[in-house]
Amino acid sequence: MSRLSIEVTPEQHQLLKAMAALQGKSIKDFILDKVLPQQAEEQPQNYSVKQLETLLQKRLTSAHNGNFSEQSVTDIFEQAIAEHDKR
């Protein structure tokens, strides 16, 4: 297997990380899906999408019950990414 490295600014890295997390993907999978979309269609749905759906469902249920978070969207993304990285 080959390795590809690119340089991005810290801001670009955070943006890529957040965009990938929103789709329940790693940065690698997110970028490959954008660059090689025909191959992404052949792959089964990523397990982390299920994890993201579970996280969002918990948050929606909490909000419907009147329990609102005081966190910013960025903080929520960073928390979700940190939790995912621990696994």
Side-chain angles (χ1 to χ4, degrees), residues 39-58:
Q39 289 183 347
E41 293 171 6
E42 297 169 4
Q43 297 174 2
Q45 186 178 16
N46 195 326
Y47 173 72
S48 46
V49 170
K50 296 282 186 201
Q51 292 174 319
L52 181 60
E53 289 172 352
T54 301
L55 169 73
L56 294 176
Q57 187 58 50
K58 287 179 188 176

Side-chain angles (χ1 to χ4, degrees), residues 17-81:
K17 196 172 184 181
M19 291 171 66
L22 282 172
Q23 293 187 16
K25 299 177 181 178
S26 66
I27 294 174
K28 173 190 166 188
D29 290 339
F30 176 78
I31 290 173
L32 287 175
D33 288 353
K34 295 295 182 187
V35 175
L36 305 170
Q38 67 279 8
Q39 289 183 347
E41 293 171 6
E42 297 169 4
Q43 297 174 2
Q45 186 178 16
N46 195 326
Y47 173 72
S48 46
V49 170
K50 296 282 186 201
Q51 292 174 319
L52 181 60
E53 289 172 352
T54 301
L55 169 73
L56 294 176
Q57 187 58 50
K58 287 179 188 176
R59 292 191 184 271
L60 282 171
T61 301
S62 182
H64 286 299
N65 292 331
N67 300 321
F68 298 96
S69 175
E70 297 293 323
Q71 292 179 297
S72 70
V73 172
T74 302
D75 291 340
I76 292 170
F77 286 153
E78 288 175 356
Q79 179 185 354
I81 291 166

Side-chain angles (χ1 to χ4, degrees), residues 1-14:
M1 185 172 298
S2 297
R3 180 173 296 273
L4 173 68
S5 298
I6 61 169
E7 292 185 26
V8 295
T9 66
E11 294 81 15
Q12 290 169 325
H13 182 260
Q14 283 299 102

